[in-house]
Amino acid sequence: MREIQVEAPAKLNLTLDVTGKRTDGYHDMRMVMQSVSLCDRLTLRTEPGEGLALTTDAGFLPVDRSNLAVSAALALREATGVDWRKLTIELEKHIPVCAGTAGGSSDAAAVLRGLNDLLSLGLTRQELAKIGEKVGSDVPYCVMGGTALCTGRGEVVEPLTALPPCYLVLAKPAFPISTPQLFSELDRTKVRLRPDTEGVVDALSRGDLKGVAQRLYNVFEAVLPEGKKAQVEELKRLLLEKGALGACMSGTGPTVFGLFDSREAAQEAAERARVLTPQVFFTQPV
Ligand code: C5P
């Protein structure tokens, strides 16, 4: 029996821009992504026998190939022909689900990285990211992690200067959001405000945390349904009132995050945000 433990960090969008609609049904993106210490934990185990099984403490998640962790293992097997005999994936879920924080994509990336190590496949990060493309648009970024500019449908990943040390408070409102619905809403809308992604890249290169924080923006915020937009705005306002240098929604939401340079202010903001929603997380960039 062989076994390995892998962490799957959540991601945040420091910026998110949708620059066009493509003929393959996807959209062209331009976004700065950041991974954070909030993470799922996976145990991968191979033993004699055959088959692939996923178990998880999050009973509501699918455990078949519609779970990106399973899909990633299958994609890796297809790409390499590896024989893992019997593979078990245990998934301990901490990242909120359907939250715009890439929980599923990060689990998939962790399976790719973990199996590469466990089975001594010797694939590079780039090769793993390429396999991850088939699993989901955010998976290549999650394979690489850190601070990165992502373009194409999200799968073209360029590493950036790391975000300076700071504190991030995530708050997920209780409502669900449909990703395809939000993309089609954006297709019907004339986008007036776009993030200053180049400004963020430049601020990162100068180690200017305030410069990054002042430019956080996500185009999806403008096309949220009214009631949902109000809840996102309320959380952003609260985080800013409590000292965040900037606040923004991540991905297709609904998670909102605030960026702080003070641990105390961030912890206090997290306490206050819990009055509005139970799913609040205090975390840091990794
Ligand atoms: O690639 P992934 O499976 O994560 O995408 C989920 C859905 O999000 C796609 O089916 C598509 O509707 C939308 N999407 C998009 N453009 C992207 C990424 C995702 O339209 N760049």
Side-chain angles (χ1 to χ4, degrees):
M1 185 189 87
R2 281 197 278 181
E3 188 177 290
I4 194 169
Q5 263 99 35
V6 217
E7 289 189 346
K11 73 92 191 160
L12 295 174
N13 285 93
L14 302 181
T15 67
L16 191 158
D17 202 359
V18 180
T19 56
K21 191 163 186 224
R22 303 157 42 130
T23 49
D24 61 3
Y26 285 89
H27 291 76
D28 277 317
M29 315 291 293
R30 191 166 181 80
M31 48 196 178
V32 177
M33 311 273 242
Q34 176 64 50
S35 45
V36 296
S37 54
L38 170 67
C39 64
D40 291 343
R41 290 178 206 284
L42 293 90
T43 303
L44 311 177
R45 189 178 309 117
T46 56
E47 54 200 318
E50 60 181 75
L52 164 58
L54 172 73
T55 60
T56 175
D57 58 350
F60 51 87
L61 287 179
V63 292
D64 61 7
R65 62 175 60 217
S66 65
N67 188 305
L68 297 188
V70 173
S71 172
L74 294 173
L76 186 77
R77 186 168 66 179
E78 202 181 301
T80 62
V82 65
D83 177 15
W84 55 52
R85 296 174 300 159
K86 180 169 187 243
L87 171 64
T88 307
I89 304 172
E90 282 174 20
L91 169 59
E92 192 186 303
K93 202 76 198 150
H94 298 280
I95 304 174
V97 175
C98 296
T101 48
S105 302
S106 191
D107 294 343
V111 166
L112 294 176
R113 281 190 275 104
L115 285 179
N116 190 40
D117 291 346
L118 185 69
L119 304 171
S120 309
L121 298 177
L123 298 173
T124 63
R125 287 277 166 127
Q126 282 74 13
E127 287 168 329
L128 293 173
K130 193 77 198 155
I131 296 169
E133 275 181 31
K134 297 187 191 76
V135 182
S137 303
D138 284 347
V139 178
Y141 162 72
C142 291
V143 168
M144 310 304 282
T147 311
L149 176 66
C150 297
T151 53
R153 65 179 169 94
E155 89 285 17
V156 183
V157 183
E158 275 175 64
L160 295 171
T161 312
L163 182 68
C166 61
Y167 306 93
L168 296 152
V169 175
L170 279 57
K172 179 181 175 273
F175 58 79
I177 283 191
S178 152
T179 294
Q181 204 179 319
L182 217 53
F183 270 107
S184 45
E185 193 56 46
L186 202 64
D187 292 337
R188 288 193 289 271
T189 311
K190 182 157 173 44
V191 177
R192 292 204 174 76
L193 197 58
R194 292 193 180 275
D196 175 12
T197 298
E198 298 324 305
V200 169
V201 172
D202 185 52
L204 284 167
S205 71
R206 286 183 282 106
D208 175 7
L209 186 65
K210 281 204 172 107
V212 173
Q214 283 158 0
R215 291 178 176 85
L216 301 178
Y217 187 65
N218 176 344
V219 283
F220 283 124
E221 287 183 37
V223 295
L224 288 170
E226 277 314 317
K228 296 181 177 179
K229 192 191 281 183
Q231 286 186 57
V232 164
E233 289 299 327
E234 187 181 18
L235 278 168
K236 279 175 63 173
R237 207 164 37 244
L238 181 143
L239 294 168
L240 291 167
E241 276 169 14
K242 289 285 144 198
L245 303 176
C248 184
M249 188 174 83
S250 184
T252 48
T255 301
V256 170
F257 68 95
L259 187 158
F260 296 78
D261 59 0
S262 148
R263 174 185 282 272
E264 292 68 35
Q267 280 168 335
E268 201 191 317
E271 284 308 307
R272 288 297 306 274
R274 281 195 187 97
V275 177
L276 296 180
T277 179
Q279 284 199 286
V280 175
F281 307 88
F282 173 84
T283 185
Q284 285 180 266
V286 288

